[in-house]
């Protein structure tokens, strides 16, 4: 088999595989074609890929020769026009991208989208959502600390006392938990909201305060993910969040519901009473954002409050992000490539079945199928 690695379109800085990942594929008798400059923005030069045994080639050559094409973003529609029997493998967000998937099914492509990987214990080493969200949570706090015009930690000095920054975190999934840990390391006082009561203990073990809101919808059937809440719950939650927003210096919002628009948890009214110089980093921006004023990939200044819509934080640490992403991908590829380097699709494996979106002209994933 030949695996092809595409260069990502700007502004994506990450790459699906780094040179350090190539040697393992060669042990499985898999050859690797890498598009020229694919790793440049992740500090991996073409010569390093070549030294690791990859063939550096033009994009057209990669698309032509590779049996399995790795990319983080979708390849262009025109690029898939001439393809048949190829395997596309990436982070395609099919629940937000139904027309694209429909087109790929019609072309008979086999498509794997690693963001659809079931969240089970066995899947942890392949979970790109976790490895990348961990970076996003860490970097969100660092970005906030850079924009915030005050100290994070408390200081008691001869010239007076500086109080610690108050950080509010909405959503304690992978990103939120890392944001809590990072804000605590910098000395902030941290408050947290989540609709899943299961995270309360984790939040408290990181030294933050978990603000409980009674009556959240049970997410047990959603594989650990959040589900949409009733209007009544959302109203109750909003009034509690409003109290915390008014006190906060920094807010990190991470609340997402797979396949849906992110819930708006912070209204304009709430932001109108925030302190001048406060900072909101909204990492749910790409799916609509958790504030009423979030603009994806933009910073909005509202009454002296900076609202940063940034879902691209993993790409600001492209070397580490690609290192973890590539390792996640290699761990998954072991499920579908045998020791002779041949494709071996076992749809009795829940991880293969859950992650495969399309095969043989059919939609394979039930959640995606329901949208098409
Ligand atoms: P996510 O990015 O989908 O959402 C972030 C957080 O937002 C979640 O904790 C969610 O509960 C919260 N949220 C949603 N609506 C909200 C609202 N109205 N108010 C407040 N918070 C709200 O989540 P994620 O980081 O991908 O992880 C979700 C969960 O999946 C994890 O905590 C974990 O239980 C599970 N998980 C399992 C594995 C595994 O076993 N392989 C790996 C990663 C995550």
């Amino acid at each position: 088999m030949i695996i092809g690695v595409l260069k990502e379109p700007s502004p994506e800085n990450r790459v699906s595989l780094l040179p350090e990942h190539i040697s393992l594929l060669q042990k499985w008798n898999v050859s690797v074609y890498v598009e020229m400059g694919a790793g440049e923005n992740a500090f991996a030069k073409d010569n390093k890929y070549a030294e690791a045994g990859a063939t550096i080639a033009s994009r057209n050559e990669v698309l032509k020769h590779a049996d399995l094409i790795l990319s983080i973003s979708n390849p262009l529609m025109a690029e898939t026009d001439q393809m048949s029997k190829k395997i596309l493998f990436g982070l395609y967000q099919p629940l937000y991208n139904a027309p694209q998937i429909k087109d790929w099914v019609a072309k008979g492509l086999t498509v794997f989208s690693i963001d659809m990987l079931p969240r089970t214990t066995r899947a942890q080493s392949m979970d790109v959502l976790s490895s990348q969200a961990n970076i996003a949570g860490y970097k969100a706090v660092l970005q906030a600390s850079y924009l915030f015009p005050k100290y994070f930690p408390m200081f008691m000095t001869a010239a007076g006392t500086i109080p610690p920054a108050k950080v509010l975190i909405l959503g304690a999934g992978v990103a939120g938990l890392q944001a809590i840990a990072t804000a605590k390391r910098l000395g902030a006082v941290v408050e947290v909201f989540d609709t899943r009561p299961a995270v309360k203990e984790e939040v408290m073990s990181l030294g933050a305060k978990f603000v409980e809101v009674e009556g959240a919808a049970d997410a047990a059937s959603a594989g650990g993910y959040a589900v949409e809440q009733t209007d009544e719950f959302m109203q109750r939650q909003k009034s509690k969040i409003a109290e915390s927003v008014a006190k906060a210096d920094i807010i990190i919002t991470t609340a997402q519901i797979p396949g849906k628009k992110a819930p708006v948890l912070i209204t304009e009214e709430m932001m109108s009473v925030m302190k001048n110089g406060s900072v909101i980093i909204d990492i749910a921006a790409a799916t609509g954002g958790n504030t009423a004023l979030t603009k994806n990939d933009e910073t909005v200044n509202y009454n002296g409050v900076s609202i940063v819509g940034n879902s691209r934080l993993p790409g600001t640490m492209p070397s580490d992000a690609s290192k973890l992403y590539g390792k996640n991908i290699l761990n998954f590829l072991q499920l579908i490539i045998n020791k002779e380097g041949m494709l071996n699709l076992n749809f009795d494996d829940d991880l293969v079945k859950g992650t495969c979106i399309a095969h043989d002209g059919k939609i394979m994933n039930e959640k995606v199928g329901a949208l098409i």
Side-chain angles (χ1 to χ4, degrees):
M1 174 188 281
I2 297 177
I3 289 185
V5 178
L6 294 185
K7 180 172 169 57
E8 299 300 320
S10 175
E12 180 58 80
N13 291 323
R14 294 170 295 172
V15 60
S16 304
L17 291 180
L18 288 175
E20 69 194 61
H21 301 122
I22 307 286
S23 60
L24 187 63
L25 287 170
Q26 288 179 323
K27 278 189 200 140
W28 306 345
N29 296 312
V30 172
S31 309
V32 183
Y33 274 52
V34 176
E35 181 182 345
M36 253 172 254
E40 197 74 34
N41 293 345
F43 309 100
K45 295 200 179 296
D46 287 349
N47 65 327
K48 293 289 172 200
Y49 283 101
E51 280 166 24
T55 303
I56 307 300
S58 70
R59 189 173 183 91
N60 280 344
E61 282 171 321
V62 175
L63 291 169
K64 184 173 158 206
H65 293 294
D67 305 297
L68 187 154
I69 296 161
L70 288 178
S71 64
I72 297 174
S73 339
N74 303 357
L76 300 174
M77 189 86 104
E79 290 177 328
T80 56
D81 278 350
Q82 307 307 320
M83 287 183 188
S84 67
K85 299 277 169 213
K86 298 240 182 209
I87 305 158
L88 301 182
F89 194 119
L91 191 55
Y92 302 135
Q93 306 204 319
L95 298 179
Y96 297 98
N97 239 336
Q100 174 79 84
I101 304 299
K102 216 171 160 178
D103 175 67
W104 286 340
V105 174
K107 288 170 179 161
L109 295 168
T110 296
V111 181
F112 282 90
S113 194
I114 193 70
D115 48 318
M116 298 305 289
L117 182 75
R119 296 321 265 288
T120 60
T121 306
R122 189 166 71 96
Q124 279 176 359
S125 67
M126 311 161 200
D127 194 331
V128 303
L129 292 185
S130 293
S131 67
Q132 306 302 298
N134 202 41
I135 295 175
Y138 166 76
K139 216 46 200 295
V141 174
L142 296 189
Q143 189 178 17
S145 74
Y146 185 74
L147 295 173
F148 183 54
K150 295 184 181 177
Y151 274 120
F152 254 59
M154 184 175 97
F155 281 113
M156 293 172 84
T157 76
T161 300
I162 303 281
K166 291 193 176 74
V167 174
L168 171 64
I169 294 178
L170 301 183
V174 180
L177 290 171
Q178 183 53 250
I180 298 169
T182 307
K184 287 297 294 179
R185 278 182 216 121
L186 287 175
V189 173
V190 184
E191 265 190 7
V192 181
F193 281 81
D194 199 297
T195 46
R196 294 178 304 122
V199 296
K200 180 180 172 181
E201 259 178 50
E202 285 172 272
V203 168
M204 287 172 56
S205 73
L206 289 168
K209 179 181 168 195
F210 185 73
V211 185
E212 277 181 85
V213 184
E214 297 292 311
D218 185 7
S221 60
Y225 283 111
V227 290
E228 275 181 315
Q229 301 294 328
T230 60
D231 289 346
E232 196 197 340
F233 173 87
M234 290 299 281
Q235 276 314 322
R236 225 181 3 252
Q237 189 194 36
K238 267 189 184 143
S239 65
K240 282 217 173 178
I241 288 178
E243 290 169 26
S244 299
V245 168
K247 291 182 285 178
D249 295 304
I250 287 159
I251 305 180
I252 311 288
T253 65
T254 76
Q256 305 209 61
I257 301 163
K260 309 269 184 223
K261 195 178 167 305
V264 174
L265 303 176
I266 302 182
T267 60
E268 186 172 345
E269 197 186 346
M270 291 181 203
M271 289 182 276
S272 67
V273 298
M274 285 182 75
K275 288 173 261 182
N276 257 341
S278 308
V279 177
I280 301 177
I281 309 284
D282 189 345
I283 67 173
T287 53
N290 291 145
T291 92
L293 300 176
T294 301
K295 288 210 167 93
N296 193 22
D297 292 334
E298 283 184 36
T299 297
V300 174
N301 191 303
Y302 176 75
N303 275 345
V305 178
S306 302
I307 306 155
V308 182
N310 195 344
S311 298
R312 295 188 178 277
L313 286 165
T316 64
M317 285 175 39
S319 179
D320 279 350
S322 304
K323 184 184 180 82
L324 298 171
Y325 184 96
K327 192 68 206 293
N328 290 147
I329 299 294
L330 283 186
N331 288 337
F332 185 88
L333 289 178
Q334 290 183 64
L335 302 180
I336 60 168
I337 299 175
N338 65 20
K339 286 192 182 105
E340 287 75 46
M342 305 298 286
L343 187 69
N344 176 29
L345 296 180
N346 172 14
F347 290 114
D348 290 334
D349 183 325
D350 62 324
L351 303 186
V352 176
K353 185 166 181 281
T355 311
C356 185
I357 306 305
H359 179 61
D360 260 352
K362 288 195 282 282
I363 301 270
M364 301 299 285
N365 183 291
E366 286 163 19
K367 283 191 205 139
V368 179
L371 297 174
I372 291 176

